[in-house]
Amino acid sequence: MTNAQQTSPSPFAFLRRGPVALILTVVYIAVVTFFLLQNPRALLWRLLFMASVIFIFSLPNGQRTKLTLAGVLLFLLVPLVGSGNPFLLEIGFQVCVFAALALGLNIVVGFAGLLDLGYVAFYAVGAYSWAIFGSQQLWHLHEVAGTAATQTGFPLNGNLFWLFVFGGIGLAAIAGIMLGLPVLRLRGDYLAIVTLGFGEVIRVLANNLDKPINLTNGPQGITPVQRPPLPEFFLNGPISHLLSGLVGREVTRGDMYSLFFYFLAVVVLIIVIIVARRLEDSKLGRAWTAVREDEVAAIAMGIPLTRTKLTAFATGAAFAGAMGVIYAANRTFVSPETFSLLQSITILVMVILGGLGSIPGVVLGASLVVLLNIDFLQTLSLELSRLRQGAGVIPLIGLPWAQLPSQLDPARYQKLVFGIILILMMIFRPAGILPSKRRSMELKEHGDGDAGPVLDLDESAPLADAAA
């Protein structure tokens, strides 16, 4: 075969060129948005609409073009289609929350190589920091002090929520340092066991600190948790008037809060992505990479191991603390069951599914897990329930839908689906859906039969830069 035959362009190569690909992506987003507005509860159009982010990310155009399209999608089109189906705003909120949590865990596991199975504890610290002080729970402390217990309303002003967002970051970072100090000498399985225990300690404390002083209200949880006052332009500005025209009725305060928390979660996620990206390329990020690759070599190059590990724990925990405060205000209810070991495992699944150390991969992994969890499997369960109530039969089998056992409800098999996905990922794409370049190179070198990754000049750069 000649060189001309080997390099012959594909007949569809023009579709991957910048201007053509951009036009096709814009047309795709416009068409899917139109059909979703016509039928906002259709699962197919929801999935196609959410796939728009992947198409935008895959464009060969410059970074500014991608960011512009992503901004239009997140700040204009999602609220637009969410006006017809508020569930879409809920999906968007949860995707942003768990993406930020996964990015925080990615710093600990993906950047620094420290396996943390108790990461949800920092999420709980942030949530309970606002739940205790932003609810009527403080009146219970007055009861212990002997003061009047007939107080009503909230003891603190709702505007303090913004202060507690930063307070949650600080408290969670302190908790991360407290976790990091005892485990500095541990690695691998031992580190995982200790962090798992830390997460359980926080959950058990939240479950039992209802006596002798009722601080967390025990297993009953804390409710209602105060929400911050809505900005004036949300209540009486053009946003509320536009939303009223779209839904054909006067919007409620709950509708505006759904939109408000969605925008807040998106803004916080963008900040988290920027911070994570800057940390990845910084001197500290290269130090984390050096520690992950070889602690002995990192120490030999002059990297302060204690400070580097503690910074990784504190930084990852800070992201979870901020999202914990936002979660408590959005749900107006906090209970210990929310912060179980399963939540930590789920966040770790998001990181592994997307790609360890890959920021866009982790965001994609979090999005897929959330969509599978609260949308796809739940929609299949509702559709199956509807078929059971009819008189039809299952194709090819002939068994009536009404006789199908309820044990086959798809929503009951979330863990099974996650397990199958992880097994398939480890077999066919062990580096994740969107792996980092370094992780892909390491797995490729191991697959070629080498004893381990070769430390060339490029790979030794993190060691040299971190020690500089």
Side-chain angles (χ1 to χ4, degrees), residues 298-342:
I299 295 174
M301 294 298 294
I303 294 176
L305 189 63
T306 299
R307 187 175 66 190
T308 303
K309 285 188 174 182
L310 290 181
T311 306
F313 278 116
T315 306
F319 293 167
M323 280 304 180
V325 175
I326 296 173
Y327 164 83
N330 175 263
R331 291 293 184 267
T332 70
F333 173 71
V334 174
S335 69
E337 285 74 17
T338 307
F339 312 104
S340 61
L341 172 63
L342 180 60

Side-chain angles (χ1 to χ4, degrees), residues 374-445:
I374 70 172
D375 190 11
F376 186 70
L377 292 178
Q378 299 293 339
T379 302
L380 289 181
S381 297
L382 292 175
E383 182 64 21
L384 191 61
S385 299
R386 186 186 65 82
L387 291 174
R388 282 201 196 97
Q389 296 173 2
V393 296
I394 303 176
L396 303 179
I397 300 178
L399 181 69
W401 285 106
Q403 297 182 12
L404 194 68
S406 59
Q407 285 77 10
L408 297 180
D409 190 346
R412 295 171 178 251
Y413 296 95
Q414 293 178 1
K415 300 180 185 65
L416 174 64
V417 173
F418 289 159
I420 293 174
I421 290 175
L422 286 179
I423 291 173
L424 295 176
M425 287 293 301
M426 293 302 101
I427 295 175
F428 298 106
R429 200 169 180 84
I433 300 176
L434 292 176
S436 62
K437 294 181 180 179
R438 177 176 294 274
R439 179 69 172 164
S440 300
M441 293 172 60
E442 290 174 357
L443 290 174
K444 182 178 180 180
E445 289 172 350

